Amino acid sequence: HLGCEHGVCGACTVLLDGEPARACLTFAGACPGAAITTVEGLDGDAVAAELRVAFNREHALQCGYCTPGMLIAARDLVLRLPDADERRIRVGLSGNLCRCTGYAGIVRAVMSVIAERRARGIGPESGAERALGPVGARLGEAPVPLGTAQARIVPGAAPIATTTVADLGAAFTPAHSFTQTIDLSHPPEAVFALLSDVEAVAACLPGAVLTGRPDPDTVEGGLQVRIGPIGATFRGRARIAHDPATLSGAVRGAGADAGGRSATEGEIRYRVGSGESPGTARVVLDVGYTLTGPLAQFGRPGLVRDLAGRITADFARNLDARLSGAAAPPPAGLNPLRLLVALVRARLAAWRGRA
């Protein structure tokens, strides 16, 4: 069903290679070979059949407009949640709006199906059975569980699993790319020296966490993302290279969010040159990335570029503070909501200027 056309109401939710996705935000041209399943395609699905019975029993629908998307979201919860936790069910259904029922019947229906299936010995799926495949996989390929390797952990940190990338040195063709620039009032050589210090760079990058360094050319860590009360951490591995002769370098990495089953692969190439004034530097960042999984439906290239601009601005301020010897602000989790508000304000200001 077509609803808000902004990815907010959830009425258009379908399954994209087994994962719930917003149809209104997903370009058909990005899904060659993918398996698309609407609610009609779940007629023979055992979980959907149990949910339909429970929805009728608990009066979980009235006008029915939200019901197709609600059933697909509810089915995902039945497959994933270990038990009938009302709070987690409400959080899981928060992306699907209903203006009729007040949600109480819907929540009761989902809780009852989860409880009955667990009582029959049917456990939750790990997520690997429905995953889109390893980092870099193309839509439509057979799902393959992500490989894992134990990271070397900093003292006091909890063990985590990181995505294994077969060959980070192989050619990478990104789905999207863009360029950002950073101007700093410091000599190019000093800027390059700082960018060659991985620990210092991580301390300046909002949301970045280093967890290990298996060898001088490899780092393991994560990027923390928070939208209001919802948080996610992408864990992964990257290979780094620096060329002092040309004041350039590259970072190639991949990671996955185990909780949300999204994955990303990307490459950043940078060049440090002279700025417009003597003794200053300009850093040119060429960024390429591929994003798969549920978060990909929100990854429109224009929005990613605008948000990256705000992140780059914070990163530049932290770099400048570190190069100046001042105390940089403590690293904070990446907050796309705050960045999005800033983006809207900037665009409104630009629109008023044109008017």
Side-chain angles (χ1 to χ4, degrees), residues 245-261:
T246 59
L247 299 185
S248 62
V251 179
R252 167 82 185 283
D257 169 31
R261 303 184 308 283

Side-chain angles (χ1 to χ4, degrees), residues 18-115:
E19 292 287 348
R22 297 288 200 260
C24 73
L25 296 181
T26 305
F27 291 111
C31 308
I36 310 297
T37 307
T38 66
V39 71
E40 291 83 3
L42 297 177
D43 283 351
D45 182 78
V47 178
E50 293 181 41
L51 283 168
R52 286 195 295 270
V53 172
F55 269 51
N56 279 298
R57 182 182 66 245
E58 301 294 342
H59 306 288
L61 69 157
Q62 289 184 29
C63 80
Y65 199 81
C66 73
T67 305
M70 196 72 74
L71 282 171
I72 288 178
R75 177 183 178 274
D76 184 65
L77 294 176
V78 171
L79 292 174
R80 285 195 296 111
L81 296 184
D83 50 51
D85 185 323
E86 180 177 353
R87 186 192 66 81
R88 293 186 67 182
I89 290 172
R90 288 184 176 274
V91 170
L93 293 175
S94 62
N96 293 73
L97 305 184
C98 174
R99 296 184 175 182
C100 302
T101 67
Y103 302 101
I106 298 173
V107 173
R108 286 197 304 268
V110 178
M111 288 180 65
S112 67
V113 172
I114 294 177

Side-chain angles (χ1 to χ4, degrees), residues 265-279:
E265 183 176 6
E267 183 177 64
I268 300 176
R269 294 184 177 274
Y270 67 88
R271 305 181 303 278
V272 183
S274 299
E276 295 181 354
S277 303

Side-chain angles (χ1 to χ4, degrees), residues 140-285:
E141 292 181 352
V144 180
L146 290 172
T148 58
Q150 185 63 41
R152 182 165 57 87
I153 307 300
V154 296
I160 62 169
T162 61
T163 303
T164 297
V165 181
D167 184 7
L168 285 173
F172 171 56
T173 303
H176 307 286
S177 60
F178 58 89
T179 301
Q180 298 278 349
T181 60
I182 299 176
D183 290 306
L184 297 166
S185 57
H186 300 275
E189 293 75 15
V191 173
F192 177 77
L194 179 58
L195 293 177
S196 301
D197 185 339
V198 177
E199 287 77 11
V201 170
C204 294
L205 184 63
V209 178
L210 285 184
T211 58
R213 193 159 186 184
D215 58 67
D217 298 327
T218 306
V219 294
E220 294 171 338
L223 181 66
Q224 299 172 345
V225 181
R226 178 166 294 278
I227 305 176
I230 302 173
T233 300
F234 283 85
R235 302 286 190 181
R237 174 177 293 186
R239 292 189 64 80
I240 54 179
H242 306 289
D243 184 2
T246 59
L247 299 185
S248 62
V251 179
R252 167 82 185 283
D257 169 31
R261 303 184 308 283
S262 294
T264 184
E265 183 176 6
E267 183 177 64
I268 300 176
R269 294 184 177 274
Y270 67 88
R271 305 181 303 278
V272 183
S274 299
E276 295 181 354
S277 303
T280 64
R282 168 165 290 184
V283 183
V284 179
L285 303 171

